[in-house]
Structures are given as structure tokens and as C-alpha cells.
Amino acid sequence: MGRTKKAGSKKVAPALKLKKTAAKPSKASKKAQAAAKAGPVVINRAPVLELWVAVVAERQGFSFDEGLTFGKLVAGWFAQSKGRALGIYERKEEPSEQKRQARERRDRELGVEHVDCFGLHCLALRVGNEMHAVADGKAISPGSVRGSLTRAFGDRLEDVKEAMETLAAAIPPERIGKVAYHLYERFRPEWHGWGVKGELDLGGLAALAQDWQAHV
């Protein structure tokens, strides 16, 4: 489960309560299996990762809206890393000590906290009763992420979410952060080039869920 602490501080705040979900479902969701029969979803990798991070975050005890903001943050990190590796984006220089200290001071003043989600250390701000991921010093809006995912997945959004939730439910909450990205590498759309869509096979997600249910 994610733990939080103030940016620039070593004190760790109490962990959020784990959401009570079945750790050992007896079989894959019938709805997820039916969705798999509808065929693959043709889509880019980024929205797939965004949605998977949100589902994993919910399994770790965050709300789904909180998870959406972490999904946007994490997918952005990986997209930038891939883009720099391909030479699409310029490699960023390490910030100077002065800039690093200024950024840390800004984060402390804003009340930014460090949150463990998806096996990564993320920056977040408390918005009402929720923790929203932070990018460039601003909290990410879950509504904007939800809208972009709806546009990306179209009428298959609920099918994919159901399949991902079935897989996440098969993995203990305390372990899912350690294996989440490895699992994503196994079911993500095949790479065909920057910006080129691939096929997301929901049958592959269902098979992974069944494997975990058989061994957990």
C-alpha cells in the first residue's frame, strides 16, 4: 500500500487503508471473458498504461479517481522516456542544485507529498479527501483523464476495465505494486512504431488472471 510523506521530509505519514476486495476470486469474471470474445481493442499503449495504473492503484487502496491521476503521471513518465530513447524528445539535462532546491521548496510550500503507487514514488497533493498526482507543481484532474480514456477506448472502456480489474483482484494488494509493470509488459499492445496503434488482447488479460488465481 502506498505511504505518504511531505516533500523534503523523512517523516512518513500513516498508510491509507487497503480497500477490501477479494484476494482470491474463484474464477475469472464471466463479463471479462465475454468481453474477450468481442475481439481485441485497437489502441495506443499510453491509455492502456493509464487505465492499468488506475486499476492497480484502486487495488492498493486508493480511489479510482486518485488512480486516474497517477495513471496520467506514470504513463507520461514512460512516454517521455521512450521518446527520448527514440530521439523524438531531447534528453533533459540534470537540474542544477539551485533549481532542485527551488523545486523542493515550492513543493513543501504547496504541501506536496510522496506517495507509493504502482511500485513507484509519485508526488501528490491532497485535494479534498483525496490524493491527486502532481505534474509541474499542479494536481492532475481525474475528470480530464477520464475524458481522454473515454475517447481513446470508446465503447470498449468498460470491457477493458473489467478485464484489468479481474486480473488485479487475483493479486494480493501488498504484492501487486511489485509485479504491476511486469504484467503490463505481458499484455500491452505490440509495438509498431511511435504513435501507431496495436491490438490489446483481452483474452491475454483473462489468461493472466486465471494463472494468478491458480497459484496465489
Side-chain angles (χ1 to χ4, degrees), residues 157-170:
L157 177 58
E158 288 304 315
D159 287 346
V160 179
K161 184 171 180 284
E162 175 76 19
M164 289 182 175
E165 287 174 340
T166 299
L167 173 56

Side-chain angles (χ1 to χ4, degrees), residues 2-3 17 19 27 35 43 75 104 127 135 141 160 179 184 192 194-195 199 216:
R3 298 178 68 87
K17 292 183 179 179
K19 184 176 180 180
K27 60 181 179 179
I43 193 167
E104 290 180 353
V127 179
S141 166
V160 179
V179 300
Y184 165 72
H192 295 295
W194 184 261
E199 291 187 350
V216 173

Side-chain angles (χ1 to χ4, degrees), residues 66 69 124-134 138-140 142:
E66 288 174 315
T69 70
L125 273 172
R126 191 167 293 281
V127 179
N129 295 323
E130 295 191 331
M131 296 298 296
H132 291 180
V134 171
K138 296 180 180 179
I140 296 172

